Amino acid sequence: GTPLPSKAVQSSVSMRPSSVRAPNTSPSAPCSLARRISAASAVPRAAAPPAVGRWLLVCSGTVAGAVVLGGVTRLTESGLSMVDWHLVKGMKPPRTQQEWEAEFQKYQQFPEFKILNHDMTLTEFKFIWYMEYSHRMWGRVVGLAYILPAVYFWRKGWLSRPMKGCVLALCGLVCFQGLLGWYMVKSGLEEKPDSYDIPRVSQYRLAAHLGSALVLYSASLWTGLSLLLPQHKLPETRQLLRLRQFAHGTTALIFLTALSGAFVAGLDAGLVYNSFPKMGERWIPDDLLAFSPVLKNFFENPTTVQFDHRILGTASVTAITALYLFSRKIPLPRRTRMAVTSLLAVACVQVGLGISTLLLYVPTPLAATHQSGSLALLSVALWLMSELRRVPK
């Protein structure tokens, strides 16, 4: 025989299964990005320099900053202070007294000022305006952090074909996230003559905006970790397979719990029942299903939304505890063991933050810390998934 051609054939054949199996290695990634991201993370490390992985981790950090800043903007009710959106023109803040008064007059034409802030002074307006301005400017920083290095790495030839698809998807999601943010703000600027509620953005659009940010964050972090962390060659036992599936399901539950927090914030549901573990004097409040049809309660009834968030939070910490206990029965590398232990520790802190936020009537610093804790919990869960990912053969 001719050994060189046979080795080449074997090499080409052995490369195919990894690209076929790869989509199953990252179930935490969003459905629209899962195939691209899985294929990219399965590319040999030599095909993507460490700089690409570090860049994606930095990008995930900028997204995390945007999520936290957006949460503070929502908690301080600053999100509707800028009533128009311009990609370039909106980067310049008012400088003179006349410019500030003109900006304030524009704000006075919309429902939030007329109904809620009719006695607001110009100084108070400047505070909420700068909060929203900071959030929007940080969003532009996030966009540049993705797009400019992507162009550089692409031209350098450091991106493999699967990685190019992944990077294009991430950059497209960044642009979509910006448009979704403005679409969300518009919902709070609309006149609603039949409504007696205070002006606020749609909780549906807020959840979509947060969900999109969490997807972007998770995808960037997962891909960065896949490129940078050396894979463990763990024996494919039945227990390890079950642990991997358990970790995937727990991560999905953590993601869903974080997303449900957007409905809590959008409806100010954290101010409805400020007691724990009961809601008022009852385990199940009387107005849990007060709206008709029943399905409407899960998205528009503040009582139901808070109840759901409590249930999801409890389910998450229960699943994490069970995951930790199950992992103790399996021999795992030190780094993987550290990830499991860290997940349980962060979960306990997050539960304490959530209960404290509720009992203290949602103070802004504590509520912002609780939201940051959800990102930290999701991050550690993704780290654990990366530690347990299957090694391509």
Side-chain angles (χ1 to χ4, degrees), residues 72-82 107 112 117 124-125 127-133 136:
V72 175
T73 302
R74 173 68 189 90
L75 288 165
T76 55
E77 299 183 342
S78 306
L80 300 177
S81 56
M82 296 180 70
Y107 173 68
E112 186 175 70
N117 294 333
E124 292 170 333
F125 170 72
F127 171 77
I128 64 170
W129 192 93
Y130 270 121
M131 286 298 305
E132 174 65 8
Y133 175 77
R136 294 194 187 189

mmCIF file of all heavy atoms in Angstrom, residues 72-82 107 112 117 124-125 127-133 136:
data_model
loop_
_atom_site.group_PDB
_atom_site.id
_atom_site.type_symbol
_atom_site.label_atom_id
_atom_site.label_comp_id
_atom_site.label_asym_id
_atom_site.label_seq_id
_atom_site.Cartn_x
_atom_site.Cartn_y
_atom_site.Cartn_z
ATOM 1 N N VAL A 72 -29.620 49.170 35.959
ATOM 2 C CA VAL A 72 -29.608 50.385 36.788
ATOM 3 C C VAL A 72 -30.458 51.469 36.136
ATOM 4 O O VAL A 72 -31.207 52.196 36.816
ATOM 5 C CB VAL A 72 -28.163 50.878 37.003
ATOM 6 C CG1 VAL A 72 -28.157 52.202 37.755
ATOM 7 C CG2 VAL A 72 -27.352 49.838 37.761
ATOM 8 N N THR A 73 -30.382 51.565 34.808
ATOM 9 C CA THR A 73 -31.203 52.539 34.085
ATOM 10 C C THR A 73 -32.686 52.276 34.300
ATOM 11 O O THR A 73 -33.479 53.197 34.510
ATOM 12 C CB THR A 73 -30.873 52.487 32.578
ATOM 13 O OG1 THR A 73 -29.475 52.755 32.395
ATOM 14 C CG2 THR A 73 -31.675 53.525 31.808
ATOM 15 N N ARG A 74 -33.069 51.005 34.274
ATOM 16 C CA ARG A 74 -34.467 50.646 34.505
ATOM 17 C C ARG A 74 -34.877 50.928 35.949
ATOM 18 O O ARG A 74 -35.958 51.457 36.211
ATOM 19 C CB ARG A 74 -34.672 49.159 34.175
ATOM 20 C CG ARG A 74 -36.055 48.629 34.526
ATOM 21 C CD ARG A 74 -37.123 49.237 33.624
ATOM 22 N NE ARG A 74 -38.455 48.905 34.087
ATOM 23 C CZ ARG A 74 -39.168 49.624 34.941
ATOM 24 N NH1 ARG A 74 -38.642 50.743 35.465
ATOM 25 N NH2 ARG A 74 -40.382 49.269 35.280
ATOM 26 N N LEU A 75 -34.002 50.595 36.897
ATOM 27 C CA LEU A 75 -34.327 50.781 38.316
ATOM 28 C C LEU A 75 -34.456 52.251 38.686
ATOM 29 O O LEU A 75 -35.231 52.608 39.578
ATOM 30 C CB LEU A 75 -33.251 50.110 39.177
ATOM 31 C CG LEU A 75 -33.256 48.578 39.182
ATOM 32 C CD1 LEU A 75 -31.950 48.032 39.749
ATOM 33 C CD2 LEU A 75 -34.442 48.050 39.977
ATOM 34 N N THR A 76 -33.694 53.118 38.030
ATOM 35 C CA THR A 76 -33.775 54.559 38.302
ATOM 36 C C THR A 76 -34.816 55.248 37.406
ATOM 37 O O THR A 76 -34.932 56.472 37.432
ATOM 38 C CB THR A 76 -32.400 55.225 38.081
ATOM 39 O OG1 THR A 76 -31.925 54.933 36.755
ATOM 40 C CG2 THR A 76 -31.383 54.717 39.093
ATOM 41 N N GLU A 77 -35.550 54.440 36.622
ATOM 42 C CA GLU A 77 -36.602 54.955 35.728
ATOM 43 C C GLU A 77 -36.057 56.054 34.822
ATOM 44 O O GLU A 77 -36.662 57.111 34.661
ATOM 45 C CB GLU A 77 -37.798 55.447 36.536
ATOM 46 C CG GLU A 77 -38.451 54.349 37.359
ATOM 47 C CD GLU A 77 -39.677 54.824 38.113
ATOM 48 O OE1 GLU A 77 -39.838 56.044 38.283
ATOM 49 O OE2 GLU A 77 -40.471 53.970 38.537
ATOM 50 N N SER A 78 -34.900 55.758 34.217
ATOM 51 C CA SER A 78 -34.233 56.735 33.351
ATOM 52 C C SER A 78 -34.376 56.410 31.874
ATOM 53 O O SER A 78 -33.987 57.222 31.017
ATOM 54 C CB SER A 78 -32.736 56.790 33.698
ATOM 55 O OG SER A 78 -32.519 57.040 35.060
ATOM 56 N N GLY A 79 -34.926 55.250 31.548
ATOM 57 C CA GLY A 79 -34.899 54.765 30.176
ATOM 58 C C GLY A 79 -35.682 55.566 29.166
ATOM 59 O O GLY A 79 -35.437 55.453 27.964
ATOM 60 N N LEU A 80 -36.635 56.374 29.608
ATOM 61 C CA LEU A 80 -37.471 57.132 28.663
ATOM 62 C C LEU A 80 -37.083 58.610 28.594
ATOM 63 O O LEU A 80 -37.825 59.419 28.060
ATOM 64 C CB LEU A 80 -38.946 57.013 29.069
ATOM 65 C CG LEU A 80 -39.511 55.589 29.089
ATOM 66 C CD1 LEU A 80 -40.953 55.591 29.565
ATOM 67 C CD2 LEU A 80 -39.400 54.945 27.711
ATOM 68 N N SER A 81 -35.907 58.940 29.130
ATOM 69 C CA SER A 81 -35.497 60.348 29.160
ATOM 70 C C SER A 81 -35.010 60.851 27.809
ATOM 71 O O SER A 81 -35.140 62.034 27.497
ATOM 72 C CB SER A 81 -34.399 60.551 30.206
ATOM 73 O OG SER A 81 -33.312 59.680 29.948
ATOM 74 N N MET A 82 -34.452 59.959 26.984
ATOM 75 C CA MET A 82 -34.027 60.327 25.623
ATOM 76 C C MET A 82 -35.113 59.863 24.669
ATOM 77 O O MET A 82 -35.342 58.666 24.500
ATOM 78 C CB MET A 82 -32.684 59.683 25.286
ATOM 79 C CG MET A 82 -31.536 60.178 26.157
ATOM 80 S SD MET A 82 -29.934 59.405 25.739
ATOM 81 C CE MET A 82 -29.610 60.152 24.128
ATOM 82 N N TYR A 107 -38.755 66.117 26.177
ATOM 83 C CA TYR A 107 -39.181 65.102 27.144
ATOM 84 C C TYR A 107 -40.562 65.421 27.705
ATOM 85 O O TYR A 107 -41.373 64.526 27.963
ATOM 86 C CB TYR A 107 -38.144 65.020 28.267
ATOM 87 C CG TYR A 107 -38.535 64.123 29.418
ATOM 88 C CD1 TYR A 107 -38.624 62.741 29.266
ATOM 89 C CD2 TYR A 107 -38.797 64.665 30.688
ATOM 90 C CE1 TYR A 107 -38.965 61.920 30.336
ATOM 91 C CE2 TYR A 107 -39.138 63.841 31.760
ATOM 92 C CZ TYR A 107 -39.220 62.480 31.576
ATOM 93 O OH TYR A 107 -39.563 61.674 32.635
ATOM 94 N N GLU A 112 -44.450 60.050 30.192
ATOM 95 C CA GLU A 112 -43.786 59.890 31.484
ATOM 96 C C GLU A 112 -43.732 61.213 32.234
ATOM 97 O O GLU A 112 -43.952 61.253 33.453
ATOM 98 C CB GLU A 112 -42.376 59.327 31.309
ATOM 99 C CG GLU A 112 -41.715 59.017 32.654
ATOM 100 C CD GLU A 112 -40.364 58.345 32.515
ATOM 101 O OE1 GLU A 112 -39.401 59.016 32.075
ATOM 102 O OE2 GLU A 112 -40.263 57.159 32.862
ATOM 103 N N ASN A 117 -43.784 62.549 36.083
ATOM 104 C CA ASN A 117 -42.722 63.488 36.473
ATOM 105 C C ASN A 117 -43.058 64.939 36.146
ATOM 106 O O ASN A 117 -42.175 65.725 35.804
ATOM 107 C CB ASN A 117 -41.413 63.097 35.768
ATOM 108 C CG ASN A 117 -40.874 61.766 36.226
ATOM 109 O OD1 ASN A 117 -41.125 61.343 37.352
ATOM 110 N ND2 ASN A 117 -40.134 61.085 35.363
ATOM 111 N N GLU A 124 -32.941 67.405 37.947
ATOM 112 C CA GLU A 124 -33.358 66.007 38.057
ATOM 113 C C GLU A 124 -33.416 65.334 36.689
ATOM 114 O O GLU A 124 -33.062 64.161 36.548
ATOM 115 C CB GLU A 124 -34.727 65.932 38.739
ATOM 116 C CG GLU A 124 -34.707 66.348 40.209
ATOM 117 C CD GLU A 124 -36.100 66.497 40.784
ATOM 118 O OE1 GLU A 124 -37.044 66.796 40.019
ATOM 119 O OE2 GLU A 124 -36.257 66.329 42.007
ATOM 120 N N PHE A 125 -33.826 66.082 35.695
ATOM 121 C CA PHE A 125 -33.879 65.541 34.337
ATOM 122 C C PHE A 125 -32.479 65.206 33.836
ATOM 123 O O PHE A 125 -32.278 64.178 33.174
ATOM 124 C CB PHE A 125 -34.550 66.545 33.399
ATOM 125 C CG PHE A 125 -34.441 66.167 31.949
ATOM 126 C CD1 PHE A 125 -35.180 65.105 31.435
ATOM 127 C CD2 PHE A 125 -33.593 66.862 31.097
ATOM 128 C CE1 PHE A 125 -35.069 64.751 30.087
ATOM 129 C CE2 PHE A 125 -33.485 66.515 29.759
ATOM 130 C CZ PHE A 125 -34.219 65.459 29.265
ATOM 131 N N PHE A 127 -30.003 64.109 35.471
ATOM 132 C CA PHE A 127 -29.545 62.839 36.050
ATOM 133 C C PHE A 127 -30.076 61.652 35.263
ATOM 134 O O PHE A 127 -29.303 60.768 34.854
ATOM 135 C CB PHE A 127 -29.982 62.729 37.511
ATOM 136 C CG PHE A 127 -29.737 61.366 38.105
ATOM 137 C CD1 PHE A 127 -28.468 60.986 38.493
ATOM 138 C CD2 PHE A 127 -30.786 60.457 38.244
ATOM 139 C CE1 PHE A 127 -28.235 59.715 39.017
ATOM 140 C CE2 PHE A 127 -30.560 59.185 38.766
ATOM 141 C CZ PHE A 127 -29.279 58.819 39.155
ATOM 142 N N ILE A 128 -31.396 61.590 35.022
ATOM 143 C CA ILE A 128 -31.947 60.439 34.312
ATOM 144 C C ILE A 128 -31.495 60.438 32.855
ATOM 145 O O ILE A 128 -31.315 59.370 32.245
ATOM 146 C CB ILE A 128 -33.492 60.372 34.420
ATOM 147 C CG1 ILE A 128 -34.155 61.578 33.744
ATOM 148 C CG2 ILE A 128 -33.929 60.274 35.872
ATOM 149 C CD1 ILE A 128 -35.671 61.434 33.621
ATOM 150 N N TRP A 129 -31.286 61.648 32.284
ATOM 151 C CA TRP A 129 -30.823 61.719 30.897
ATOM 152 C C TRP A 129 -29.421 61.126 30.776
ATOM 153 O O TRP A 129 -29.139 60.344 29.857
ATOM 154 C CB TRP A 129 -30.831 63.169 30.408
ATOM 155 C CG TRP A 129 -30.650 63.300 28.917
ATOM 156 C CD1 TRP A 129 -31.633 63.371 27.973
ATOM 157 C CD2 TRP A 129 -29.405 63.368 28.205
ATOM 158 N NE1 TRP A 129 -31.085 63.473 26.717
ATOM 159 C CE2 TRP A 129 -29.719 63.468 26.828
ATOM 160 C CE3 TRP A 129 -28.074 63.343 28.585
ATOM 161 C CZ2 TRP A 129 -28.741 63.565 25.842
ATOM 162 C CZ3 TRP A 129 -27.088 63.422 27.604
ATOM 163 C CH2 TRP A 129 -27.417 63.537 26.257
ATOM 164 N N TYR A 130 -28.551 61.475 31.688
ATOM 165 C CA TYR A 130 -27.181 60.959 31.641
ATOM 166 C C TYR A 130 -27.138 59.452 31.911
ATOM 167 O O TYR A 130 -26.260 58.742 31.391
ATOM 168 C CB TYR A 130 -26.284 61.701 32.634
ATOM 169 C CG TYR A 130 -25.623 62.919 32.045
ATOM 170 C CD1 TYR A 130 -25.820 64.184 32.597
ATOM 171 C CD2 TYR A 130 -24.801 62.816 30.925
ATOM 172 C CE1 TYR A 130 -25.212 65.315 32.047
ATOM 173 C CE2 TYR A 130 -24.200 63.939 30.375
ATOM 174 C CZ TYR A 130 -24.398 65.174 30.935
ATOM 175 O OH TYR A 130 -23.804 66.288 30.380
ATOM 176 N N MET A 131 -28.062 58.931 32.696
ATOM 177 C CA MET A 131 -28.133 57.497 32.912
ATOM 178 C C MET A 131 -28.433 56.770 31.598
ATOM 179 O O MET A 131 -27.751 55.807 31.227
ATOM 180 C CB MET A 131 -29.202 57.155 33.950
ATOM 181 C CG MET A 131 -28.821 57.477 35.385
ATOM 182 S SD MET A 131 -27.385 56.547 35.981
ATOM 183 C CE MET A 131 -27.901 54.877 35.668
ATOM 184 N N GLU A 132 -29.452 57.237 30.899
ATOM 185 C CA GLU A 132 -29.809 56.617 29.622
ATOM 186 C C GLU A 132 -28.719 56.858 28.577
ATOM 187 O O GLU A 132 -28.399 55.967 27.780
ATOM 188 C CB GLU A 132 -31.156 57.166 29.140
ATOM 189 C CG GLU A 132 -31.574 56.716 27.749
ATOM 190 C CD GLU A 132 -31.826 55.225 27.639
ATOM 191 O OE1 GLU A 132 -31.826 54.533 28.678
ATOM 192 O OE2 GLU A 132 -32.018 54.741 26.498
ATOM 193 N N TYR A 133 -28.135 58.035 28.583
ATOM 194 C CA TYR A 133 -27.050 58.360 27.645
ATOM 195 C C TYR A 133 -25.866 57.406 27.861
ATOM 196 O O TYR A 133 -25.279 56.913 26.892
ATOM 197 C CB TYR A 133 -26.627 59.812 27.849
ATOM 198 C CG TYR A 133 -25.429 60.233 27.030
ATOM 199 C CD1 TYR A 133 -25.558 60.508 25.667
ATOM 200 C CD2 TYR A 133 -24.173 60.363 27.610
ATOM 201 C CE1 TYR A 133 -24.459 60.902 24.915
ATOM 202 C CE2 TYR A 133 -23.074 60.758 26.866
ATOM 203 C CZ TYR A 133 -23.219 61.024 25.520
ATOM 204 O OH TYR A 133 -22.121 61.413 24.782
ATOM 205 N N ARG A 136 -26.676 54.011 26.356
ATOM 206 C CA ARG A 136 -26.624 54.008 24.892
ATOM 207 C C ARG A 136 -25.184 54.101 24.387
ATOM 208 O O ARG A 136 -24.812 53.435 23.412
ATOM 209 C CB ARG A 136 -27.450 55.160 24.331
ATOM 210 C CG ARG A 136 -28.941 55.023 24.597
ATOM 211 C CD ARG A 136 -29.736 55.987 23.747
ATOM 212 N NE ARG A 136 -31.150 55.981 24.113
ATOM 213 C CZ ARG A 136 -32.095 56.602 23.432
ATOM 214 N NH1 ARG A 136 -31.773 57.300 22.349
ATOM 215 N NH2 ARG A 136 -33.356 56.559 23.830
#
